[in-house]
Amino acid sequence: MTAYVDQLAEWFRKHGDKTKAIPMENYMRNQYPFLGIKSPERTALTKTFWAEHGIPAGEELLDVVRQLWLLPEREFQNVGMAYLEKYAKKAKPADIDAFEELVTTKSWWDTVDYLASHTMGDHLTKYPELIPEYTERWIRSDNMWLRRTAILYQLRYKQRTDVERLFEYLLLCKDENEFFIRKAIGWALREYAKTDAEAVRRFVAGNRLSPLSEREALKGIGKS
């Protein structure tokens, strides 16, 4: 699918705007270069490209995502996530390894949070037998982004949340100094509080969390 990706890259680069790229790069702490295409325009350009060139099927679609991940400008990883959304219903159990590779490649919150809460979350809902092997390994990984994924994959599960597993994973990470882990702990608790606020209050009261995690967890519900 190299020719297809080349056409897509040419289409997006034609619409780049360096004056917009600079503040976008600054916002993302200069982790990656940008073309200067903001989200609404990126979505519109993607849909226009799909209308003209179509969307590959099966393994070819996943291959497009991998190739987009190799391109330097950050918009291409964001476009890759739009392709992943199209692929989700066709994904096979073994595709979790490809998704994991995306988490650990060009990692930053804008890709990892989507991959964790949508791609991984949906995939593990579809194939729950994968949960013990993969999430247990992620939460103990040296890779901070995999640990964040283990914390956030249940973010949209609501009543389906495996609360015992969620709380276990939060306890394993609660003493870390890493900002993105502390923030993820608070975020996961805040989302679960929409389902069971009292359980979150008890967890926060019974465990010494970082001020950041606690503050994020109790937004909207308070301590009592």
Side-chain angles (χ1 to χ4, degrees), residues 91-94 96 123-136 157 165:
K92 305 179 295 297
I96 194 169
H123 198 68
L124 292 172
T125 293
K126 189 176 179 182
Y127 302 110
E129 68 274 12
L130 299 173
I131 291 174
E133 176 186 353
Y134 281 86
T135 66
E136 289 289 328
Y157 280 19
R165 187 179 297 276

Side-chain angles (χ1 to χ4, degrees), residues 108-118 145 148-149 151-156 166 170 179-195 200 204 209-219:
W108 199 242
W109 62 264
D110 60 326
T111 55
V112 172
D113 291 358
Y114 176 87
L115 292 167
S117 62
H118 289 77
W145 298 109
R148 186 169 167 103
T149 298
I151 292 169
L152 296 179
Y153 82 90
Q154 298 193 82
L155 202 64
R156 299 184 300 130
L166 173 63
L170 301 188
F179 168 84
F180 287 108
I181 294 299
R182 290 185 170 190
K183 188 80 169 181
I185 290 171
W187 188 14
L189 287 169
R190 187 171 76 247
E191 283 302 305
Y192 186 62
K194 297 174 184 177
T195 298
V200 170
V204 172
L209 303 179
S210 73
L212 172 60
S213 296
E214 181 173 329
R215 185 169 62 251
E216 291 291 322
L218 298 177
K219 276 183 180 178

